Amino acid sequence: MKSQLFKKLAEQIYADYVDVRKLPGERRLGERYVASRATIRAALQELQNNGRLSSDPRRGHTLIATAPSVTPFPAKETPPPERRSWNVVLFCSRRLVEDQAFLDFLGGAIHSAGMNGVNLLIRELDERHYVAGAESPEQLYSGVEADGYILTFLSEGLRQFLERQLKPCVALGMPYRVGELEKRRFLRVFLPQREKLKTLFTRLAELGHRRILVPCGNEDLGGYVRELIPAGVKADFVGVPLNSDSSIPRPEAGDRVVAALEDHTALLVPFGGATALEIYRRLLLAGIEIPKRLSVVIDSGRFDYFVKVFRIASVYSSSREEGMMCMEALVGQLRNGFLEFGNRFTQYSYVEGETLGPAMTPAELRRYDRRRQDLS
């Protein structure tokens, strides 16, 4: 396994740096390719043994370009065949297969695969595989030589295993707490969550809202959301329970939001699904007029049908577009013949809806709440 790894690494280093000739230091190479110093040195020695590298204690390492006939590595200038079929393995978890949004993502990936001549193998893994990783490809899939991978859930063990394959890999929607992906051989494709929420805060501020209530199911969410709040605006966070299955509502979430509503004039729900709609329903049952008393905006998705039915203001994202972008980002690497890493953002749309309005002044808000209490 080790010998195969450094030989693959030697091929990848040559393909990535043959145009620039001059190689960075061993430490920088180790960071880029997530490899130990010993593996990097073995790969460089392999290049030197094949007459592709010259080393000088003062000048460092320099690649030597020779005729393709005498090199064991494919020349980068050689164009790929006009029609080429690749094998891509998409890893998913059993829980994801039950999620409608993920099936929409899968539809986009399948469509893009068909358009780009990709044979797509979908592999559903159980917890034992994606927590512990694997030692060989045969443990995860068989009968196909994979050219690239798409990873749709967080798994350190599986990710490390895929990195050792030295093949293109695209990771979908990794959370912000997973740091330094730029140093790994991965492209990350995800929705620009910070930009989406900033758009909503900015719109509420434009309407004069200075006190905003934000339901929060993740304790870490409040930390980075506070960075997006415009000057002069105060946001209060209320913890609410959420289900892992977004199609199952949590009625108590709506009760907590209604109880926490004081002099807030706007509600920003940073998640979609049935619980977001349950919060909206509980507000209406409590007699809160929307948008006269309270403006409401949520982070929705393609399958939040009732967001469209009730014309709720939202940011809208398409899982299908995410699936297509993941596949296209992977195919781009296969066509170019070298690995990429970094971030790619998918698109989202802002929908004004009919649940946004100008904020009441403090005096208007007090009069309104007194009248509502008298009527109740």
Side-chain angles (χ1 to χ4, degrees):
M1 185 68 167
K2 185 176 180 180
S3 62
Q4 294 178 354
L5 177 59
F6 80 76
K7 288 182 179 180
K8 288 181 179 179
L9 184 56
E11 182 175 344
Q12 189 63 50
I13 292 173
Y14 182 82
D16 289 346
Y17 287 97
V18 65
D19 287 339
V20 296
R21 304 284 292 278
K22 181 71 173 177
L23 292 181
E26 293 177 358
R27 182 179 63 81
R28 293 285 302 277
L29 288 172
E31 289 180 353
R32 171 163 186 177
Y33 296 103
V34 195
S36 66
R37 183 71 67 87
T39 304
I40 292 293
R41 287 177 178 172
L44 296 178
Q45 186 61 50
E46 178 74 8
L47 288 169
Q48 194 166 8
N49 293 342
N50 286 281
R52 312 299 286 163
L53 178 74
S54 67
S55 298
D56 185 278
R58 292 173 297 178
R59 298 181 181 178
H61 304 294
T62 304
L63 291 174
I64 302 171
T66 60
S69 59
V70 298
T71 175
F73 310 121
K76 195 172 181 180
E77 296 83 359
T78 303
E82 189 171 338
R83 292 188 62 85
R84 168 76 193 276
S85 178
W86 295 284
N87 298 321
V88 171
V89 180
L90 185 150
F91 294 107
C92 63
S93 67
R94 292 181 178 177
R95 182 181 63 83
L96 278 175
V97 176
E98 300 175 357
D99 185 84
Q100 185 64 63
F102 175 74
L103 296 179
D104 195 39
F105 164 86
L106 210 56
I110 292 171
H111 173 76
S112 181
M115 298 293 290
N116 289 286
V118 170
N119 301 316
L120 181 61
L121 171 65
I122 301 169
R123 182 72 168 91
E124 179 185 310
L125 301 181
D126 58 27
E127 185 176 354
R128 173 175 56 87
H129 282 127
Y130 63 77
V131 171
E135 296 180 359
S136 68
E138 288 297 320
Q139 288 184 249
L140 302 178
Y141 56 90
S142 60
V144 64
E145 175 64 28
D147 296 302
Y149 308 97
I150 295 178
L151 181 59
T152 61
F153 56 89
L154 176 62
S155 168
E156 183 64 24
L158 180 58
R159 191 173 66 195
Q160 290 179 0
F161 164 75
L162 295 180
E163 284 178 343
R164 294 197 296 269
Q165 309 309 305
L166 291 174
K167 295 179 179 178
C169 185
V170 172
L172 169 68
M174 294 299 185
Y176 286 99
R177 65 178 179 270
V178 181
E180 299 186 351
L181 279 180
E182 290 77 8
K183 292 183 179 180
R184 298 181 176 271
R185 292 184 298 276
F186 272 81
L187 271 178
R188 180 173 66 164
V189 172
F190 62 99
L191 287 164
Q193 187 71 7
R194 292 171 182 264
E195 184 181 337
K196 289 168 62 179
L197 292 177
K198 187 175 181 179
T199 297
L200 300 184
F201 275 119
T202 301
R203 181 59 182 136
L204 290 173
E206 290 172 350
L207 291 169
H209 295 281
R210 296 295 178 263
R211 188 92 186 272
I212 301 173
L213 185 63
V214 183
C216 181
N218 184 341
E219 294 180 358
D220 297 332
L221 182 64
Y224 83 81
V225 169
R226 286 186 176 88
E227 303 172 2
L228 310 176
I229 302 172
V233 175
K234 185 177 186 301
D236 296 312
F237 297 86
V238 54
V240 297
L242 296 174
N243 285 323
S244 57
D245 185 346
S246 61
S247 66
I248 301 176
R250 295 294 296 265
E252 58 270 39
D255 294 336
R256 292 187 186 182
V257 170
V258 172
L261 189 63
E262 298 172 348
D263 58 346
H264 303 94
T265 59
L267 177 71
L268 191 160
V269 184
F271 51 83
T275 297
L277 297 175
E278 178 64 20
I279 291 173
Y280 181 77
R281 188 178 77 91
R282 292 293 173 126
L283 289 169
L284 296 178
L285 290 176
I288 297 171
E289 293 182 85
I290 299 172
K292 181 179 180 181
R293 166 60 179 84
L294 183 73
S295 288
V296 177
V297 59
I298 73 172
D299 183 348
S300 70
R302 179 176 177 181
F303 288 96
D304 287 332
Y305 297 116
F306 287 99
V307 170
K308 299 177 182 178
V309 172
F310 292 110
R311 300 178 182 177
I312 301 173
S314 64
V315 287
Y316 167 86
S317 56
S318 171
S319 298
R320 180 179 175 85
E321 290 182 5
E322 285 185 285
M324 295 178 65
M325 177 169 280
C326 280
M327 184 60 67
E328 289 166 3
L330 189 64
V331 170
Q333 296 180 72
L334 293 171
R335 284 178 176 159
N336 294 332
F338 58 89
L339 303 177
E340 297 178 28
F341 55 93
N343 297 320
R344 298 278 181 86
F345 294 99
T346 53
Q347 299 297 315
Y348 71 95
S349 300
Y350 171 70
V351 181
E352 186 78 5
E354 296 181 0
T355 58
L356 288 184
M360 286 185 172
T361 65
E364 291 172 336
L365 188 61
R366 287 193 295 270
R367 288 196 296 268
Y368 179 90
D369 285 343
R370 279 200 300 268
R371 284 199 301 270
R372 190 165 67 88
Q373 289 174 2
D374 293 341
L375 291 174
S376 63

